[in-house]
Amino acid sequence: MEQFINHIGDFFLQLGYIGIFIMMFLEASFFPFPSEIAMIPAGFLVSQGKMSPFFALLAGTLGSLSGATFNYLLGKYAGRTFLEKFGKYIFLDSKKIDEMTELFKRKGALIVFFGRLIPVVRQYISFPPGVSNMNFFKFSLYTGLGSCLWVGFLEFLGYYYGHNQNAINGVILKFKFISLGILIVFGIFIIKKKLQKKSTT
């Protein structure tokens, strides 16, 4: 865990806040790029005094808002027909479009806000407001607020980890041993069941 975050952290040190912006832009649009990979290491760097908490939050929020705006504009000017035709190339199919559209119809601006906090939904919820020609200022406001909360939460996780590395790594190590023990017991149980089944046939 620590090595992974340090590796990503070194990458961020090279790109700085621009790197955070780019990665969050990609994550908020239709690319399958997890925001955790961007913001948790950024929070870790904040804990080490290598980044400003405010500028890391700002870069992440602006990147997320920009990516969502890209999807909004794509939905607005390209339309649903375009999305259905070419969506398969950006991991978007008719079923996802229908699901996001239904959520938007039922919840409206609230889903634009809360959608920024829900994995998978985050990447596609900006299409329906664009197709429906939702007021851009309203869209930006709700998207920006939701994005700021999500980015801030992930940054805090990285920051918290940076100040509690030993304790967290110890918990992770214990969890690995517990998981391994459960798998071994489960494997023995399955083998025993199969042997009993063979002996009765």
Side-chain angles (χ1 to χ4, degrees):
M1 178 70 172
E2 183 178 354
Q3 290 180 347
F4 172 75
I5 290 184
N6 278 322
H7 180 71
I8 299 297
D10 290 339
F11 175 74
F12 272 124
L13 281 177
Q14 295 177 19
L15 293 180
Y17 302 110
I18 294 176
I20 295 177
F21 177 89
I22 292 173
M23 289 190 174
M24 290 306 295
F25 173 90
L26 293 175
E27 186 275 338
S29 56
F30 44 76
F31 293 92
F33 187 91
S35 53
E36 293 83 355
I37 292 180
M39 293 313 306
I40 291 179
F44 178 79
L45 290 179
V46 169
S47 74
Q48 304 301 303
K50 297 177 181 178
M51 271 191 170
S52 160
F54 172 77
F55 286 114
L57 179 65
L58 181 64
T61 301
L62 290 178
S64 186
L65 177 59
S66 298
T69 300
F70 179 83
N71 284 2
Y72 170 90
L73 295 175
L74 190 61
K76 181 175 182 177
Y77 293 108
R80 177 171 179 133
T81 302
F82 175 86
L83 294 177
E84 289 180 339
K85 185 176 181 180
F86 295 100
K88 60 184 178 181
Y89 299 111
I90 56 173
F91 311 100
L92 181 68
D93 54 29
S94 297
K95 184 179 178 181
K96 284 182 180 176
I97 295 175
D98 290 337
E99 290 173 351
M100 296 302 106
T101 301
E102 184 60 28
L103 276 173
F104 179 68
K105 285 180 179 178
R106 287 192 286 112
K107 303 297 182 180
L110 284 177
I111 195 60
V112 174
F113 172 78
F114 287 108
R116 306 311 307 167
L117 309 174
I118 305 172
V120 181
V121 173
R122 301 167 46 76
Q123 277 74 22
Y124 302 109
I125 196 56
S126 299
F127 287 118
V131 173
S132 303
N133 200 27
M134 179 183 181
N135 178 273
F136 182 69
F137 175 78
K138 195 174 182 180
F139 168 81
S140 299
L141 177 63
Y142 283 99
T143 300
L145 290 173
S147 298
C148 186
L149 281 177
W150 179 246
V151 168
F153 171 70
L154 294 179
E155 184 179 328
F156 171 76
L157 289 182
Y159 179 86
Y160 183 81
Y161 174 78
H163 284 289
N164 300 274
Q165 294 180 56
N166 294 332
I168 293 175
N169 287 337
V171 171
I172 292 174
L173 184 61
K174 289 179 182 178
F175 179 76
K176 287 180 179 178
F177 283 124
I178 292 171
S179 300
L180 181 61
I182 292 173
L183 286 174
I184 291 172
V185 171
F186 182 73
I188 293 172
F189 175 78
I190 294 298
I191 293 171
K192 187 177 179 181
K193 279 286 187 182
K194 287 186 176 180
L195 291 174
Q196 288 176 346
K197 188 175 180 180
K198 283 183 178 180
S199 63
T200 55
T201 54

